[in-house]
């Protein structure tokens, strides 16, 4: 049954306008993004099926490629792009909620900042937090973007950014799209390289985090920094 024939209370757009965004279910929100369903399903029914296929997880949905989304009947390229765009906007909005001068007190705090940017990527990226003497965030920067297996950071660029921001401490992080939290030999080597370079400039490497979708590994917590 097309949405236009549903009771007004069951129409997601009308429901949004009358009751507010908080009144909508996840499937209703996704239905609005898609705009329509297919000849056999309403937009809400299709949205419910799509979400069910990923365990009703927005994070898992964000991992689907455009081609993955287009495998669902009724999802063409335009709808797939709309879904992917909405999820990317949500990810960026979450990232902007991390205000500058956030105090980093432990690895959990650092992880909560990095995970927004790194937890659901298919390729490796290398990021850094630059901190002042009070361990408050001055700036956050993406330094490199690599392939599926590795992202090499240029230590010179890392410390140039640190010096430009008068940082006294840095926390570096990169993701493992494979889901493995085990540091590679290269991960250990780059950690030591950054640590030693920091000593010369009196800029302390406070931690190096490996980020996966649902967890992280802290070099500091494991006594490796």
């Amino acid at each position: 049954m097309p949405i236009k024939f549903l009771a007004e209370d069951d129409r997601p757009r009308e429901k949004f306008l009358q009751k507010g965004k908080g009144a909508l279910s996840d499937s209703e929100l996704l239905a609005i993004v898609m705009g329509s369903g297919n000849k056999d399903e309403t937009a809400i029914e299709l949205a419910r099926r799509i979400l069910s296929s990923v365990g009703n997880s927005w994070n898992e949905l964000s991992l689907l490629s455009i081609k993955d989304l287009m495998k669902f009947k009724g999802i063409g390229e335009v709808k797939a792009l709309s879904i992917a765009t909405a999820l990317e906007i949500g990810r960026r909005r979450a990232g902007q909620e991390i205000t500058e001068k956030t105090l980093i007190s432990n690895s959990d705090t650092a992880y909560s900042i990095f995970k927004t940017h790194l937890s659901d990527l298919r390729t490796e990226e290398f990021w850094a937090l630059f901190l002042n003497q009070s361990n408050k965030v001055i700036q956050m920067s993406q330094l490199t973007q690599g392939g599926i297996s590795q992202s090499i950071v240029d230590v010179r660029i890392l410390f140039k950014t640190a010096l430009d921001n008068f940082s006294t401490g840095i926390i570096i992080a990169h993701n493992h799209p494979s889901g493995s939290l085990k540091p590679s030999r290269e991960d250990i080597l780059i950690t030591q390289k950054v640590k030693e370079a920091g000593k010369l400039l009196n800029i302390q490497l406070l931690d190096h985090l490996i980020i996966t979708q649902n967890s992280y590994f802290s070099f500091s917590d494991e006594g490796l920094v």
Side-chain angles (χ1 to χ4, degrees):
M1 181 185 297
I3 285 180
K4 66 181 180 180
F5 293 119
L6 296 175
E8 194 163 308
D9 241 14
D10 295 324
R11 299 178 193 172
R13 292 188 186 88
E14 286 80 355
K15 189 173 181 180
F16 188 113
L17 293 172
Q18 291 179 5
K19 298 183 179 180
K21 57 190 177 183
L24 272 67
S25 66
D26 287 353
S27 57
E28 289 171 326
L29 289 170
L30 183 56
I32 291 176
V33 171
M34 294 189 303
S36 62
N38 56 49
K39 66 177 183 179
D40 300 315
E41 298 171 301
T42 65
I44 295 174
E45 291 168 339
L46 177 56
R48 190 177 295 126
R49 183 160 62 87
I50 292 172
L51 286 169
S52 178
S53 74
V54 291
N56 294 304
S57 167
W58 290 114
N59 284 331
E60 290 294 331
L61 183 60
S62 70
L63 294 177
L64 298 185
S65 67
I66 298 299
K67 288 184 178 180
D68 291 333
L69 290 168
M70 290 175 64
K71 292 177 182 178
F72 292 94
K73 183 180 179 182
I75 301 296
E77 186 175 71
V78 173
K79 285 184 185 177
L81 284 169
S82 296
I83 294 170
T85 299
L87 292 167
E88 177 61 15
I89 290 172
R91 186 185 73 84
R92 294 188 186 190
R93 177 186 180 277
Q96 289 176 347
E97 290 175 351
I98 306 300
T99 59
E100 290 187 355
K101 306 302 182 184
T102 299
L103 176 64
I104 305 297
S105 56
N106 51 46
S107 60
D108 279 342
T109 309
Y111 170 63
S112 69
I113 297 175
F114 282 124
K115 70 177 181 179
T116 302
H117 301 274
L118 291 168
S119 63
D120 60 356
L121 300 178
R122 291 179 177 270
T123 58
E124 281 197 13
E125 293 186 7
F126 196 104
W127 289 65
L129 290 175
F130 301 93
L131 314 177
N132 63 19
Q133 288 183 330
S134 300
N135 283 355
K136 290 184 177 180
V137 177
I138 300 171
Q139 182 174 318
M140 181 179 189
S141 297
Q142 178 196 42
L143 298 174
T144 62
Q145 190 173 15
I148 294 176
S149 61
Q150 63 178 348
S151 180
I152 305 300
V153 65
D154 189 326
V155 176
R156 295 170 299 177
I157 294 176
L158 172 66
F159 282 101
K160 180 183 184 301
T161 306
L163 291 168
D164 287 345
N165 286 280
F166 302 99
S167 303
T168 58
I170 56 176
I171 298 175
I172 56 178
H174 75 284
N175 61 309
H176 278 183
S178 66
S180 171
L181 287 173
K182 183 178 179 180
S184 68
R185 179 174 178 275
E186 290 74 17
D187 295 338
I188 295 170
L189 288 175
I190 194 64
T191 303
Q192 291 305 311
K193 188 175 182 180
V194 172
K195 179 180 178 181
E196 293 304 315
K199 287 180 180 179
L200 295 174
L201 298 170
N202 199 27
I203 300 174
Q204 185 180 4
L205 174 63
L206 300 172
D207 205 349
H208 180 183
L209 302 183
I210 296 173
I211 311 290
T212 63
Q213 188 175 13
N214 299 310
S215 191
Y216 72 97
F217 176 92
S218 164
F219 279 72
S220 179
D221 290 351
E222 298 300 323
L224 299 175
V225 172

